[in-house]
Amino acid sequence: MSAECSSYLNADKVLVSGFSCPRAGGDARAVFCCGFQDIKYCCDDPHSFFPYEHSYMWWLSVGALVGLSIAAVVLFAFIITVCVLCYLFISTKPRSKLDTGLSLQTA
């Protein structure tokens, strides 16, 4: 089984000629043509999107989760603070009108 990768222009606008998979001297299991319009390669999984190892993506995911967790805690603390301040403002409000010391009488 083999696949043909057609020629393409890479990111530097250089024409890369077509090739067949698996490549000579490459992995014999890489029988599919994978990639995008500007990079093509032979792979063993037809649903593969990147020719790189995926270990770096794990660290990106962990970093994103930590960042989102911190943002969620800060947002939660902000909302709790606003609610507490609103409650204190409403509960400490005087129930009756204050005497301003001015009497409103007609002369």
Side-chain angles (χ1 to χ4, degrees):
M1 176 179 212
S2 66
E4 292 290 325
C5 286
S6 60
S7 59
Y8 62 94
L9 289 175
N10 66 11
D12 298 325
K13 304 297 183 209
V14 175
L15 180 66
V16 177
S17 59
F19 54 90
S20 61
C21 296
R23 288 185 142 182
D27 188 2
R29 296 175 297 164
V31 294
F32 299 103
C33 181
C34 299
F36 300 101
Q37 291 180 348
D38 60 346
I39 182 171
K40 294 184 182 180
Y41 56 94
C42 296
C43 64
D44 60 350
D45 181 9
H47 303 291
S48 175
F49 293 109
F50 298 102
Y52 314 111
E53 292 297 322
H54 298 294
S55 61
Y56 75 95
M57 296 192 76
W58 168 252
W59 291 110
L60 288 177
S61 297
V62 169
L65 287 175
V66 168
L68 288 173
S69 299
I70 290 171
V73 167
V74 168
L75 179 65
F76 184 69
F78 176 76
I79 290 172
I80 294 297
T81 303
V82 168
C83 290
V84 167
L85 290 175
C86 286
Y87 173 76
L88 289 174
F89 178 76
I90 292 171
S91 67
T92 59
K93 196 174 182 182
R95 301 276 184 239
S96 62
K97 292 185 178 183
L98 291 175
D99 183 18
T100 60
L102 300 175
S103 60
L104 300 175
Q105 295 178 355
T106 56

